[in-house]
Amino acid sequence: MSIAENIKNVRERVNAACLRAGRDPKEVTLISVSKTKPVSMLMEAYEAGERDFGENKEKRPQIPEDAKFHMIGHLQTNKVGQVIDKVVLIHSCDSVHLAEKIEKEAAKRDMIANVLLEVNVAREESKFGMFLEDVIPNLKEIQAFPHVCVKGMMTIAPNVEDAEENRKYFKELYQLYVDIKNKNIDNGTMSVLSMGMTGDFEVAVEEGATMIRVGTGIFGSR
């Protein structure tokens, strides 16, 4: 299948998942994770209507202005300065230490950096991210940084054969998201729940994801 057909397929599956969950498909943003792919493939997705890409900065000058780049994947503190003004959202703020570095680099540029807190819901040793119980204390610390705005949370669920196995993790993060909003711990800035990838995005959408990150399902295997 072509990239355009793959996108159509993903969108249809998102719509079906929204229907099952009684949600409006407009609430779900599809991020096309294209970071290992050539510009020609990005442009195919762009021409098929995609505007949000999980990308790295090098391709920015070669893509039309209205495309939005998201920082997907682990962000090292020494790389913050290279990406901070090239992306609309950093999906992987996994510690207060990294947030401090983002604050410093954003202050230098007199800008506000939008971030998601990366949460390791399944407590996998191989993954980055804060544990569920650390999110609220960390959020309270990060809120003191004037140049960092926490827009929500992100998780990478385990790599499983059966997507149903990840439902519990998506449910847990959604519950925390609702709690934070209800208690207004987030100062009203939290609106994004980035969860679900090629193998499990339908379950994530059913459990409240507002962003899904699909790479293989759009661009094929690496």
Side-chain angles (χ1 to χ4, degrees), residues 3 32 84 117 128 180 195-196 218-219:
I3 287 170
S32 302
I84 193 166
L117 302 182
F128 294 96
I180 288 171
M195 54 187 198
I218 291 174
F219 299 104

Side-chain angles (χ1 to χ4, degrees), residues 6 8 29 43 54 62 74-75 82 84 102 117 126 135 140 142 144 154-155 159 170 175 183 190 196 212 217 221:
N6 288 343
K8 185 169 178 282
T29 301
M43 284 308 299
Q62 298 159 274
H74 181 58
L75 178 57
Q82 296 172 25
I84 193 166
I102 293 169
L117 302 182
S126 60
V135 171
K140 287 176 173 171
I142 293 167
M154 181 279 274
T155 194
N159 189 7
F170 298 143
Q175 193 51 59
K183 293 172 185 160
M190 198 172 277
I212 57 170
S221 302

Side-chain angles (χ1 to χ4, degrees), residues 11-219:
R11 291 207 169 273
E12 281 167 359
R13 288 163 62 193
V14 168
N15 291 350
C18 284
L19 193 63
R20 290 193 293 276
R23 297 184 64 198
D24 181 348
K26 290 192 187 73
E27 293 171 13
V28 183
T29 301
L30 170 61
I31 313 283
S32 302
V33 181
S34 49
K35 55 189 178 185
T36 60
K37 305 297 179 191
V39 169
S40 59
M41 290 178 92
L42 257 84
M43 284 308 299
E44 274 185 68
Y46 180 90
E47 277 151 21
E50 288 310 296
R51 292 296 179 269
D52 289 271
F53 296 92
E55 249 316 327
N56 54 27
K57 62 192 184 308
E58 285 79 24
K59 297 178 198 165
R60 175 71 272 182
Q62 298 159 274
I63 306 294
E65 277 294 295
D66 62 338
K68 299 194 279 277
F69 280 15
H70 296 248
M71 171 65 210
I72 305 264
H74 181 58
L75 178 57
Q76 294 166 293
T77 49
N78 63 345
K79 296 286 196 314
V80 172
Q82 296 172 25
V83 302
I84 193 166
D85 51 2
K86 313 279 193 311
V87 297
V88 293
L89 186 61
I90 293 169
H91 283 240
S92 46
C93 181
D94 58 10
S95 65
V96 175
H97 175 62
L98 178 58
E100 283 170 342
K101 181 67 177 173
I102 293 169
E103 164 64 27
K104 207 154 119 190
E105 293 293 338
K108 276 186 203 168
R109 293 162 178 77
D110 195 22
M111 62 173 282
I112 305 276
N114 294 319
V115 306
L116 302 181
L117 302 182
E118 180 170 358
V119 188
N120 186 349
V121 184
R123 306 177 86 94
E124 290 185 277
E125 284 180 17
S126 60
K127 299 230 171 89
F128 294 96
M130 45 191 87
F131 294 147
L132 282 166
E133 66 272 18
D134 299 324
V135 171
I136 289 175
N138 288 351
L139 173 60
K140 287 176 173 171
E141 273 193 71
I142 293 167
Q143 278 176 335
F145 303 156
H147 299 90
V148 177
C149 180
V150 178
K151 287 290 188 184
M153 295 182 288
M154 181 279 274
T155 194
I156 301 171
N159 189 7
V160 291
E161 289 290 310
D162 178 9
E164 278 300 324
E165 290 175 35
N166 284 336
R167 190 179 292 275
K168 58 181 180 283
Y169 302 123
F170 298 143
K171 265 188 200 297
E172 284 182 74
L173 194 62
Y174 180 75
Q175 193 51 59
L176 178 63
Y177 173 76
V178 171
D179 285 350
I180 288 171
K181 285 166 77 76
N182 286 346
K183 293 172 185 160
N184 203 22
I185 300 163
D186 61 330
N187 297 339
T189 62
M190 198 172 277
S191 58
V192 176
L193 204 50
S194 172
M195 54 187 198
M197 293 159 67
T198 296
D200 56 16
F201 70 81
E202 287 150 297
V203 174
V205 168
E206 288 169 7
E207 295 303 334
T210 69
M211 273 186 186
I212 57 170
R213 310 176 303 275
V214 180
T216 310
I218 291 174
F219 299 104

